[in-house]
């Protein structure tokens, strides 16, 4: 079935460090790919998405490129801030939404 | 201006009780969902409703029943609560259940604790 695998956390970085959170997927159809972010005590918020191969989603300095050849959608940010501390979920959708297990990111000043 | 709202935010109750969680969306979306997030942050879809029709039911115990009085509301009723029901429950909505590009918008969650 359709599924998402993302790197296990937790990930701890210093402020201004480079961030990569790996995400790979398995899908029978042509999925759209999403990154959601969950700040402490809050619901999930859409961070970015890409709906077809080679599309790049970007928002708030975060980027991810839909790579069909490697079935990946890795999340990157060039310089993280303390306020980026949250849990990040990779997800795909063909019909229903499938989420990865989440990666907790902590950014220290 | 909250897009997807849920009440209550916290719910503490005894085993065996029956409880409800309410969800409302003001986005004009056609489809609403309920997810369960366990203590390890794993998200599992429970139900989705499209125009008052149940279209997904992922092996959820029949103690759980979604009820949609209209397109903007999807309430979750839970009978005979068990310890294992303790989790955070999220409501979500999207424009069209058939579109893979549709973004799902989430409510703030309801933390249910069963004692």
């Amino acid at each position: 079935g359709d599924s998402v695998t993302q790197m296990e956390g937790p990930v701890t970085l210093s402020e201004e460090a480079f961030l990569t959170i790996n995400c790979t997927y398995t899908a029978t159809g042509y999925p759209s790919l999403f990154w959601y972010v969950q700040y402490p005590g809050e619901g999930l918020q859409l961070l970015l998405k890409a709906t077809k191969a080679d599309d790049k989603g970007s928002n708030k300095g975060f980027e991810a490129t839909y790579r069909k050849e490697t079935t990946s959608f890795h999340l990157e940010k060039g310089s993280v801030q303390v306020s980026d501390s949250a849990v990040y979920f990779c997800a795909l959708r063909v019909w229903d939404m499938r989420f990865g297990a989440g990666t907790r990111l902590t950014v220290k000043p | 201006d909250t897009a997807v709202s849920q009440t209550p935010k916290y719910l503490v109750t005894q085993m065996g009780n029956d409880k409800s969680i309410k969800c409302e969306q003001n986005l004009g979306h056609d489809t609403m969902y309920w997810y369960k997030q366990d203590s390890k942050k794993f998200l599992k879809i429970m139900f989705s409703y499209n125009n008052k029709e149940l279209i997904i039911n992922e092996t959820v115990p029949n103690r759980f029943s979604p009820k949609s009085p209209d397109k903007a509301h999807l309430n979750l009723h839970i009978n005979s609560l068990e310890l294992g029901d303790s989790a955070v429950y999220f409501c979500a909505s999207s424009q069209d259940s058939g579109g893979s590009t549709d973004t799902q918008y989430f409510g703030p969650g309801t933390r249910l604790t069963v004692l």
Side-chain angles (χ1 to χ4, degrees), chain A residues 30-34 36 38 41-46 49 51 87 89 93-102 104, chain B residues 9 33 35 37 40-43 45 56 58 88 90 94 96-109:
Chain A
Y30 298 96
S32 292
L33 302 174
F34 304 80
Y36 280 84
Q38 184 178 25
E42 298 184 12
L44 278 72
Q45 303 174 25
L46 177 68
K49 74 177 188 181
T51 58
V87 181
F89 292 90
R93 186 175 189 189
V94 178
W95 294 108
D96 58 323
M97 189 79 85
R98 303 286 169 138
F99 286 88
R104 183 180 297 279
Chain B
K9 190 169 175 63
Y33 310 82
Y35 287 86
Q37 185 178 46
K40 295 184 179 179
K41 298 293 188 182
F42 184 73
L43 272 161
I45 189 166
I56 299 175
E58 293 280 326
V88 180
F90 287 101
S94 67
D96 181 355
S97 64
S100 70
T101 62
D102 294 337
T103 299
Q104 292 188 5
Y105 294 85
F106 284 77

Side-chain angles (χ1 to χ4, degrees), chain A residues 28-106:
Chain A
T28 53
Y30 298 96
S32 292
L33 302 174
F34 304 80
W35 276 102
Y36 280 84
V37 57
Q38 184 178 25
Y39 298 103
E42 298 184 12
L44 278 72
Q45 303 174 25
L46 177 68
L47 183 59
L48 52 86
K49 74 177 188 181
T51 58
K52 60 183 188 297
D54 299 325
D55 269 2
K56 178 187 280 189
S58 61
N59 186 25
K60 299 180 181 180
F62 290 89
E63 292 183 341
T65 301
Y66 189 141
R67 302 283 188 202
K68 189 177 177 182
E69 63 275 13
T70 54
T71 61
S72 66
F73 192 54
H74 304 322
L75 182 68
E76 296 182 337
K77 186 175 184 181
S79 176
V80 292
Q81 305 300 314
V82 173
S83 57
D84 294 326
S85 297
V87 181
Y88 292 81
F89 292 90
C90 186
L92 70 80
R93 186 175 189 189
V94 178
W95 294 108
D96 58 323
M97 189 79 85
R98 303 286 169 138
F99 286 88
T103 301
R104 183 180 297 279
L105 169 67
T106 301

Side-chain angles (χ1 to χ4, degrees), chain B:
Chain B
D1 283 30
T2 305
V4 182
S5 60
Q6 297 177 225
T7 54
K9 190 169 175 63
Y10 300 97
L11 182 54
V12 181
T13 188
Q14 299 288 329
M15 241 180 5
N17 284 350
D18 303 336
K19 290 293 178 184
S20 295
I21 306 172
K22 295 185 177 181
C23 178
E24 176 181 2
Q25 55 97 1
N26 62 7
L27 297 168
H29 286 168
D30 289 330
T31 307
M32 297 181 72
Y33 310 82
W34 277 105
Y35 287 86
K36 179 180 180 181
Q37 185 178 46
D38 63 23
S39 58
K40 295 184 179 179
K41 298 293 188 182
F42 184 73
L43 272 161
K44 178 183 175 181
I45 189 166
M46 301 176 71
F47 302 102
S48 70
Y49 252 76
N50 176 274
N51 290 327
K52 297 189 180 183
E53 213 172 328
L54 179 66
I55 58 175
I56 299 175
N57 184 338
E58 293 280 326
T59 62
V60 173
N62 58 14
R63 297 182 296 104
F64 292 79
S65 56
K67 288 188 172 32
S68 180
D70 55 58
K71 198 173 84 166
H73 297 83
L74 182 65
N75 303 325
L76 181 64
H77 296 270
I78 315 170
N79 294 325
S80 303
L81 277 156
E82 300 177 357
L83 293 176
D85 299 332
S86 296
V88 180
Y89 292 84
F90 287 101
C91 178
S93 72
S94 67
Q95 180 62 44
D96 181 355
S97 64
S100 70
T101 62
D102 294 337
T103 299
Q104 292 188 5
Y105 294 85
F106 284 77
T110 296
R111 182 176 293 277
L112 171 65
T113 303
V114 182
L115 303 174

